[in-house]
Amino acid sequence: MDLDTILGKLETGEQELVQKTLTQYNKENSQCFFFSTEQREQRKFRKKKFRDSVPKSFSDYDLEFSKDHDLRLRQKLGEVVVKFLDRDLQPSCQVACLETIRILSRDKYGLSPFTSRSAMHTLAKYAGLDYSDELEVPRIPDSESVVEALKGLCNIVYNSVEAQEVATDLRLVCGLARRLKLYNETRSSHECKFFDLRLLFLLTALRVDVRRQLARELRGISLLTDALESTLALKWSDIYEVVTDRLAPPLGKEETERVMEILKTLFNITFDISRREVDEEDAALYRHLAAILRHCLIRQSDGDDRTEEFHGHTVNLLVNLPLMCLDVLLTPKVELGSVEYMGMNMDTVEVLLQFLDRRLDRGHKLRETLTPVLNLLTESSRVHRETRKFLRAKVLPPLRDVKNRPEVGNTLRNKLVRLMTHVDTDVKHCAAEFLFVLCKENVSRFVKYTGYGNAAGLLAVRGLLAGGRGEGHYSEDEDTDTEEYREAKPNINPVTGRVEEKLPNPMDGMTEEQKEYEAMKLVSMFDKLSREQIIQPMGVTSDGRLKPLDEAAQKMIQQQESSDLDSDSD
């Protein structure tokens, strides 16, 4: 049925005819997500039909007007349907109208009928989110209408900046927060709860002011934490310890979907926690949330891919929480089947390490998928000695293989060292920083496990090319060398981090004059490359940083002169 015919039937205003017409339109377009693609295919057909039916001279006629005409008709249909929703309609007719809006709102170029304040207000009423209603408990309209209205709002808000501003003015976030308080009390369907959460996620992702409003004015962290706890149906054995049944079935698909929307929204509104003062009350809330997130990491979902996504959102949120509140990850009692280290329960750290290993193997979108878990493990290792020692035992066990380069192989150490020369600066820095912290920011130990060539980037940034230690505070326990390492140590090339085969000396058999000639020839080549600015010779200053060779030499001379003057004055 073409749009002109549909509009003609809608103009009659007869509710039954309107419902029947829109139901048919919705059925025909239920899987239509890209109107421009559909139109392109239609235009190809029309052009062919046009060429076959008109003289050759007209066959190149531009049919772009067809695209604009279809768009105007869809916009007109949207306007008529929105106006029709202001009437007193039967529930089935409401659903048909709202479903049409959902389908039309997929086209970001045809949103003008839905982004006005009056249209958004109409949809908010049908979604049960009209905050102008002064009732203490929000009126919940027919469930099917609510879901369709929420789906339409999600499409419109996602695709239109203007709609985002109107949604903020209408205080949709307040209506969502009010309904979130009733999360446990209402018998809403999964779809209703899910699209409530999806709309909340979109608003907080796209509007900074909504993010702040939900976090501070509406106490969104507490609200969403309660919703998370309810969805997971948690039981507590202690103040910060969730009862985890290892034999429990995986979390269901619907519950997982809702949990992930909650985690994503919590991520949005906790993004700046590290920049704010955390009082005692907030710290207790974040510890409570961290305990729930520990349970999320240990819990499986339906299928490996879904579990990976579930755990990914959990890790992202953990990164936002204050480090002082992550101690609850290690507090649960050690039980049968737990991973124990130094008397601590390391189940969570073990899961995070396995998660890291899987992400390394995938090698896809490393900045987005890898840096959060690397940052979490790095910062946790800085503040929790037991975590650092456990991770070091797993990632950097005592060296035995000294024949292969540190980046060659399939161990976690090999994979992480390979990342230290990655083209993405963030990925490279995160991998190097993690290994550096596991080495207690000790340069010689770091070079031992990674090779100086791989380590040079981080050492240059830190001003540690001349050796020494970073600024972290760690215990002074000694590094234990294996017998294999001690025997091979004199022959290890510090740059490559392995025992190199001895190569013949190219100067063997040369006279002193020949050696001097070759040396001067090499100096001349370097001088030419430097003067032509193909290379820039660099030197390491006394503070461990790289500087152009002239500057580095001058600085060392000045420091030497200053040192001599101090000696003379003594």
Side-chain angles (χ1 to χ4, degrees):
M1 190 184 303
D2 63 61
L3 289 169
D4 285 311
T5 304
I6 292 170
L7 286 167
K9 291 185 177 182
L10 262 61
E11 285 172 2
T12 65
E14 295 178 16
Q15 197 168 147
E16 286 187 19
L17 180 59
V18 169
Q19 180 185 336
K20 184 178 178 182
T21 304
L22 291 181
T23 300
Q24 185 179 345
Y25 175 82
N26 296 341
K27 186 176 180 181
E28 290 173 358
N29 293 276
S30 62
Q31 298 304 311
C32 179
F33 292 90
F34 304 99
F35 285 97
S36 58
T37 305
E38 297 286 326
Q39 291 163 0
R40 204 158 32 243
E41 293 302 316
Q42 289 172 12
R43 286 204 303 277
K44 284 180 184 176
F45 174 75
R46 287 173 186 164
K47 283 180 179 179
K48 183 178 184 304
K49 192 173 180 181
F50 187 76
R51 289 190 185 103
D52 293 344
S53 60
V54 298
K56 182 80 171 176
S57 58
F58 290 99
S59 61
D60 294 329
Y61 180 75
D62 185 11
L63 294 178
E64 278 300 313
F65 76 90
S66 175
K67 175 182 176 182
D68 295 336
H69 181 64
D70 284 347
L71 178 59
R72 283 195 296 270
L73 288 177
R74 285 201 309 277
Q75 289 174 333
K76 179 65 176 174
L77 176 60
E79 290 169 6
V80 171
V81 172
V82 169
K83 287 179 183 176
F84 206 71
L85 281 170
D86 288 331
R87 294 172 51 178
D88 185 17
L89 303 176
Q90 293 294 323
S92 55
C93 191
Q94 292 175 6
V95 172
C97 291
L98 291 165
E99 191 176 346
T100 301
I101 290 175
R102 170 171 60 84
I103 292 169
L104 292 173
S105 63
R106 293 168 180 166
D107 180 12
K108 64 181 179 181
Y109 300 108
L111 291 176
S112 57
F114 314 123
T115 56
S116 67
R117 186 179 181 88
S118 59
M120 291 283 287
H121 186 246
T122 297
L123 289 172
K125 283 196 295 186
Y126 277 97
L129 301 177
D130 181 13
Y131 195 69
S132 62
D133 186 352
E134 297 299 328
L135 291 173
E136 205 169 298
V137 178
R139 178 180 62 87
I140 305 296
D142 177 73
S143 178
E144 207 174 343
S145 296
V146 171
V147 172
E148 286 299 331
L150 284 169
K151 288 179 180 178
L153 283 169
C154 286
N155 287 346
I156 296 162
V157 167
Y158 177 71
N159 285 315
S160 168
V161 174
E162 184 183 348
Q164 293 159 23
E165 293 174 357
V166 174
T168 305
D169 291 341
L170 291 174
R171 304 192 75 192
L172 293 193
V173 67
C174 296
L176 288 165
R178 186 168 59 172
R179 197 143 78 199
L180 199 57
K181 291 177 184 176
L182 307 174
Y183 197 87
N184 299 329
E185 300 171 23
T186 58
R187 294 183 179 179
S188 302
S189 65
H190 158 69
E191 278 199 313
C192 184
K193 288 181 177 180
F194 175 80
F195 285 104
D196 270 353
L197 295 167
R198 170 59 61 85
L199 182 57
L200 193 59
F201 163 69
L202 289 172
L203 288 169
T204 54
L206 298 167
R207 298 283 300 192
V208 176
D209 49 352
V210 173
R211 201 179 302 164
R212 291 199 193 100
Q213 184 182 9
L214 179 61
R216 300 174 188 178
E217 177 188 327
L218 301 172
R219 300 188 63 81
I221 298 174
S222 181
L223 276 177
L224 287 161
T225 301
D226 289 345
L228 183 61
E229 187 174 344
S230 171
T231 307
L232 292 166
L234 299 183
K235 295 179 181 177
W236 297 82
S237 61
D238 205 342
I239 183 170
Y240 296 129
E241 185 173 348
V242 177
V243 175
T244 303
D245 182 1
R246 296 176 184 277
L247 301 177
L251 192 63
K253 181 182 176 183
E254 292 184 350
E255 287 78 7
T256 304
E257 287 177 344
R258 296 204 301 274
V259 164
M260 288 196 292
E261 293 302 314
I262 294 170
L263 293 175
K264 284 154 55 178
T265 307
L266 277 168
F267 174 83
N268 289 342
I269 64 175
T270 59
F271 193 72
D272 62 345
I273 279 178
S274 58
R275 303 182 204 129
R276 302 201 310 256
E277 290 281 334
V278 177
D279 59 26
E280 204 171 312
E281 183 182 350
D282 286 340
L285 174 59
Y286 299 143
R287 279 196 169 91
H288 183 74
L289 177 54
I292 298 174
L293 297 179
R294 178 188 184 277
H295 174 82
C296 290
L297 282 175
I298 294 171
R299 193 78 188 268
Q300 299 292 307
S301 182
D302 59 325
D304 292 341
D305 289 343
R306 187 61 63 90
T307 299
E308 189 78 6
E309 186 182 2
F310 173 34
H311 287 175
H313 291 307
T314 305
V315 169
N316 290 344
L317 180 52
L318 276 169
V319 173
N320 284 358
L321 299 187
L323 282 172
M324 59 179 283
C325 301
L326 297 186
D327 54 354
V328 300
L329 299 180
L330 306 179
T331 54
K333 302 177 188 69
V334 176
E335 299 173 344
L336 187 64
S338 296
V339 178
E340 180 186 358
Y341 188 81
M342 296 178 67
M344 307 291 286
N345 187 321
M346 290 290 168
D347 286 347
T348 311
V349 185
E350 178 72 14
V351 169
L352 288 170
L353 205 55
Q354 292 169 358
F355 179 81
L356 170 65
D357 201 11
R358 289 194 299 272
R359 290 284 167 104
L360 285 167
D361 288 340
R362 289 189 177 190
H364 180 60
K365 293 184 177 178
L366 290 179
R367 180 186 290 189
E368 294 85 353
T369 62
L370 200 62
T371 53
V373 66
L374 275 174
N375 284 331
L376 177 61
L377 290 172
T378 301
E379 296 308 318
S380 297
S381 297
R382 273 201 175 98
V383 297
H384 298 127
R385 177 172 173 265
E386 295 82 5
T387 299
R388 176 179 54 76
K389 291 177 77 69
F390 175 78
L391 287 171
R392 186 177 163 210
K394 293 281 187 176
V395 179
L396 299 177
L399 270 180
R400 298 183 185 281
D401 179 12
V402 289
K403 293 182 179 179
N404 294 308
R405 290 173 178 263
E407 64 269 26
V408 175
N410 293 313
T411 66
L412 264 172
R413 166 180 164 248
N414 303 142
K415 295 172 187 177
L416 289 165
V417 172
R418 281 199 289 274
L419 289 184
M420 291 171 66
T421 52
H422 196 274
V423 292
D424 189 301
T425 307
D426 287 343
V427 172
K428 176 170 64 176
H429 175 76
C430 285
E433 190 74 17
F434 177 50
L435 293 175
F436 193 48
V437 169
L438 293 189
C439 293
K440 299 198 291 189
E441 302 189 28
N442 181 299
V443 172
S444 61
R445 188 177 298 176
F446 184 50
V447 170
K448 167 185 165 181
Y449 282 100
T450 66
Y452 193 84
N454 294 314
L458 179 133
L459 298 181
V461 170
R462 291 290 203 94
L464 294 170
L465 284 169
R469 297 193 72 137
E471 297 175 355
H473 301 287
Y474 304 93
S475 59
E476 293 297 328
D477 56 318
E478 292 294 323
D479 189 20
T480 54
D481 292 335
T482 61
E483 190 174 335
E484 295 93 328
Y485 179 78
R486 281 198 297 270
E487 290 176 0
K489 187 175 180 180
N491 301 314
I492 292 175
N493 182 332
V495 175
T496 61
R498 71 164 182 176
V499 175
E500 302 281 358
E501 293 182 11
K502 290 187 177 179
L503 299 174
N505 188 342
M507 289 193 172
D508 284 347
M510 287 187 182
T511 64
E512 291 302 318
E513 290 80 6
Q514 287 174 323
K515 290 178 183 178
E516 185 176 348
Y517 171 78
E518 291 296 334
M520 292 308 297
K521 183 179 175 183
L522 186 62
V523 169
S524 176
M525 289 168 65
F526 273 115
D527 182 57
K528 183 181 178 183
L529 290 171
S530 177
R531 280 188 285 102
E532 293 177 358
Q533 296 186 338
I534 296 171
I535 64 169
Q536 183 178 28
M538 305 290 283
V540 179
T541 61
S542 59
D543 59 0
R545 297 188 182 278
L546 280 175
K547 293 281 185 182
L549 193 59
D550 293 342
E551 289 182 33
Q554 187 177 3
K555 193 169 183 180
M556 291 190 74
I557 291 170
Q558 290 172 349
Q559 288 173 341
Q560 184 62 44
E561 290 175 350
S562 175
S563 177
D564 292 344
L565 287 172
D566 290 341
S567 299
D568 292 343
S569 64
D570 290 343

